[in-house]
């Protein structure tokens, strides 16, 4: 299973691609409205490991707290574009 994990709930935004073959994480810090950079970060991760969104089984993302509306829109768009990709949202406070 290949999982794309996205977190935009704090001043640190991160994207992780995880599978049995690879784990790669890219992080942005101290950037206002970091959710606006998520698609670029996803693209960077995919290019680095020569992977494609069409092979992702699950997109996991934080629901909050925080300013994350743009991040949820990005994830929803990725999931809808992919069609069969499942989305899993969780509250960061539940960790």
């Amino acid at each position: 299973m290949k999982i794309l994990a996205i977190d935009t709930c704090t001043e640190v935004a991160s994207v992780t691609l995880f599978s049995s073959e690879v784990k790669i994480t890219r992080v942005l810090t101290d950037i206002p409205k970091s959710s606006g950079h998520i698609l670029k970060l996803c693209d960077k991760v995919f290019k680095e490991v020569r992977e494609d969104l069409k092979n992702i089984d699950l997109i996991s993302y934080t629901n909050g707290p925080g300013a994350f509306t743009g991040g949820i829109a990005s994830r929803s768009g990725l999931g809808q574009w992919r069609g069969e990709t499942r989305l899993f949202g969780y509250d960061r406070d539940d960790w």
Side-chain angles (χ1 to χ4, degrees):
M1 176 176 266
K2 294 181 181 176
I3 300 170
L4 180 66
I6 301 170
D7 182 1
T8 60
C9 288
T10 68
E11 64 280 351
V12 177
S14 66
V15 172
T16 299
L17 179 60
F18 178 79
S19 72
S20 59
E21 297 90 32
V22 67
K23 179 185 176 222
I24 182 171
T25 299
R26 292 296 170 256
V27 176
L28 294 174
T29 58
D30 300 321
I31 295 179
K33 299 185 180 182
S34 60
S35 60
H37 299 272
I38 288 298
L39 294 179
K40 292 177 196 169
L41 212 53
C42 288
D43 189 46
K44 185 175 183 177
V45 166
F46 287 137
K47 284 181 179 177
E48 284 185 41
V49 295
R50 297 183 180 169
E51 188 55 81
D52 194 286
L53 180 60
K54 68 182 177 186
N55 299 320
I56 301 302
D57 301 300
L58 175 72
I59 298 174
S60 173
Y61 60 92
T62 50
N63 286 329
F68 57 91
T69 306
I72 288 179
S74 296
R75 293 181 287 277
S76 295
L78 289 172
Q80 287 175 2
W81 177 82
R82 178 66 183 102
E84 300 144 14
T85 301
R86 294 177 288 170
L87 297 174
F88 175 76
Y90 61 93
D91 291 332
R92 189 173 180 108
D93 289 341
D94 290 343
W95 286 11

